[in-house]
Amino acid sequence: MNVLVTGATGSIGSHLARALVLAGHTVIAAQRQPSQVHSYTPADFARDHESAVWLPRLRGIDAVINAVGIIRETGSQRFADLHTPAPRALFDACVTAGVTRVLQISALGASDGTTGYFTSKRVWRVIR
């Protein structure tokens, strides 16, 4: 299976990507910089807020795992950009492209945490 993993170099995403490869799947990392470990497609959650941007990246993809998340905001990395419009655009593109296996990795405590991190991760309940 070809799996697009966002956040494939992060704490959770790197473990998921490694496990997927060990299970025989092909991982395509959607990230800002080329990957030395996986196939790569350029993506920037701080800017990629339109589903049309994601559609070409989904060609040949069987499943998507969104593991992008930041614990604190820094520079251009804002909760509001990374945790809401970018995933929404990605998930809308999945619907259009017919990618039916989509997994959103969130955080323990997101359902009732009060920090900016938790409230931004809580936005996603059920998309469709």
Side-chain angles (χ1 to χ4, degrees), residues 16 36 41 67 125:
L16 285 170
Q36 301 295 323
T41 188
R125 301 258 191 245

Side-chain angles (χ1 to χ4, degrees), residues 3-10 13 16 28-31 43 45 54 64-69 90 103-104:
V3 183
L4 180 76
V5 178
T6 65
T9 59
L16 285 170
I28 298 88
Q31 56 197 47
F45 265 47
W54 289 99
V64 169
I65 299 175
N66 178 34
V68 167
L90 170 58
L103 177 64
Q104 166 66 33

